[in-house]
């Protein structure tokens, strides 16, 4: 390796000096004999050669280090402390602007929050309820207790379920109309009658004297089991399917069934009024 450096120095003295510096070249020349006669030449690397050159130059105390070579000695690096940044105090005008900005942002955030709440409440209002409301399956209560309340022991008194807008009534007729088997009245002995009058939609109350459902709007009347009795209504009351699940009465208010047509009379026990009418005939 020293021969290569010596040949380079001999062949390209200017470039060699330009690369390593004049003083480095002189130092290499002084130590050439030491390099050629000492340790294994094959072990020399460019870095070790540079270290030797550096040591030689330092011994001569006349080596001139350029700033480019200085990073090789980490101990020579000096770090100057950075002076702290002096912050200017805010002027009153700047204080006013910050307050205004704060208020503007507070108003903006409040408005956005209001819009978000309004949007969510609107969506929840428009979104269809999938459980627990009208239009879904509703658990009306224990089957045996309901049967007891609306049946013979309870005086055949209908039970109104406001959540589903229907009356639960007892039924023990012949079932000579398709709707009775559709809503399960023949199996359960219970019907769920929609309280909406099929004439023009008024709510129809039950009259405990006549045992009829009597509409106060135009006088339509329906029997206990929802069949047409008299008045302008075109048919009997509409109704919902009923099923018994685990001893509970489940009414599907999402599947409205059209009531039986006029002239249907399937239960003679309630074919006529049992007493005075609540809504007199006009
Ligand atoms: Fe019931 Fe007209 S709305 S009779």
């Amino acid at each position: 390796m020293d021969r290569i450096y010596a040949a380079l120095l001999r062949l390209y003295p200017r470039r060699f000096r330009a690369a390593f510096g004049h003083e480095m070249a002189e130092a290499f020349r002084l130590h050439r004999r030491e390099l050629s006669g000492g340790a294994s030449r094959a072990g020399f690397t460019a870095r070790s050669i540079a270290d030797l050159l550096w040591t030689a130059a330092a011994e001569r105390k006349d080596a001139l280090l350029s700033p480019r070579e200085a990073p090789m000695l980490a101990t020579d690096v000096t770090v100057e402390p950075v002076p702290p940044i002096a912050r200017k105090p805010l002027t009153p005008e700047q204080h006013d602007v910050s307050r205004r900005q704060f208020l503007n942002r507070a108003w903006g955030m409040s408005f956005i929050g209001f819009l978000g709440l309004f949007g969510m409440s609107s969506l929840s209002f428009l979104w269809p309820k999938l459980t627990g409301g009208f239009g879904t399956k509703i658990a009306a209560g224990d089957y045996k207790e309901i049967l007891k309340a609306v049946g013979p022991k309870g005086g055949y008194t209908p039970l109104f379920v406001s959540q589903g807008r229907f009356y639960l009534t007892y039924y023990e007729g012949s079932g000579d109309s398709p709707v009775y088997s559709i809503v399960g009245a023949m199996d359960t002995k219970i019907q769920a009658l929609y309280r909406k009058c099929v004439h023009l939609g008024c709510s129809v109350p039950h009259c405990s004297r006549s045992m009829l459902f009597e509409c106060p709007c135009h006088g339509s009347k329906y029997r206990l089991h929802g069949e047409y009795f008299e008045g302008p209504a075109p048919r009997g009351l509409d109704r919902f399917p009923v099923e018994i699940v685990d001893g509970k009465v489940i009414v599907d208010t999402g599947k409205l069934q059209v009531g039986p047509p006029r002239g249907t009379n399937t239960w003679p026990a309630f074919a006529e009024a049992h007493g005075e009418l609540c809504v007199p005939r006009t």
Side-chain angles (χ1 to χ4, degrees):
M1 185 63 72
D2 61 320
R3 288 183 181 177
I4 294 173
Y5 275 87
L8 286 172
L9 180 61
R10 210 176 302 122
L11 291 172
Y12 307 102
R14 287 185 181 175
R15 288 193 178 182
F16 193 86
R17 285 189 174 90
F20 294 96
H22 176 72
E23 298 299 329
M24 292 293 182
E26 289 299 320
F28 174 76
R29 193 172 296 162
L30 287 174
H31 285 263
R32 187 173 55 185
R33 183 173 299 173
E34 181 185 346
L35 289 170
S36 60
S40 168
R41 299 171 191 173
F44 284 137
T45 62
R47 180 63 182 268
S48 62
I49 292 294
D51 288 341
L52 284 171
L53 290 171
W54 187 275
T55 306
E59 286 174 358
R60 287 189 65 192
K61 297 183 180 178
D62 55 357
L64 299 175
L65 296 177
S66 67
R68 264 188 314 169
E69 295 163 323
M72 294 179 69
L73 291 177
T75 54
D76 291 345
V77 176
T78 56
V79 178
E80 292 186 5
V82 179
I85 301 172
R87 296 181 183 276
K88 290 182 181 177
L90 293 175
T91 62
E93 290 77 16
Q94 288 172 322
H95 271 297
D96 288 344
V97 170
S98 298
R99 196 176 296 119
R100 195 182 306 127
Q101 284 177 343
F102 172 77
L103 288 174
N104 287 339
R105 285 171 190 171
W107 275 111
M109 294 297 290
S110 303
F111 185 66
I112 290 171
F114 169 76
L115 281 182
L117 285 175
F118 181 75
M120 287 171 65
S121 58
S122 301
L123 274 179
S124 67
F125 179 75
L126 295 173
W127 208 266
K129 284 187 177 179
L130 299 179
T131 57
F134 184 74
T136 67
K137 286 187 176 182
I138 292 175
D142 184 76
Y143 174 61
K144 288 182 179 175
E145 289 186 7
I146 289 175
L147 205 59
K148 192 175 168 185
V150 302
K153 290 182 180 176
Y156 300 101
T157 306
L159 177 67
F160 181 62
V161 180
S162 58
Q163 190 182 7
R165 307 173 197 172
F166 57 77
Y167 291 97
L168 289 175
T169 63
Y170 189 76
Y171 182 69
E172 215 171 35
S174 63
D176 289 337
S177 184
V179 72
Y180 287 105
S181 54
I182 292 173
V183 298
M186 301 306 295
D187 300 325
T188 62
K189 292 191 174 183
I190 284 180
Q191 287 195 100
L193 303 177
Y194 191 21
R195 74 167 177 186
K196 185 178 175 183
C197 181
V198 296
H199 179 221
L200 291 177
C202 290
S203 293
V204 183
H206 181 257
C207 177
S208 58
R209 295 198 303 260
S210 65
M211 292 302 285
L212 297 172
F213 290 98
E214 301 184 21
C215 182
C217 294
H218 311 97
S220 290
K221 296 175 181 60
Y222 309 87
R223 298 185 178 105
L224 175 69
H225 40 296
E227 291 172 356
Y228 171 84
F229 182 72
E230 65 180 28
R235 62 177 185 274
L237 287 172
D238 296 336
R239 52 206 72 196
F240 303 110
V242 176
E243 58 181 347
I244 311 301
V245 180
D246 297 332
K248 304 288 181 189
V249 176
I250 306 297
V251 179
D252 191 351
T253 57
K255 293 180 179 176
L256 185 69
Q257 302 297 318
V258 174
R262 281 189 181 193
T264 305
N265 188 359
T266 62
W267 195 8
F270 288 91
E272 300 297 330
H274 284 208
E276 188 183 350
L277 298 176
C278 292
V279 179
R281 295 184 177 99
T282 53

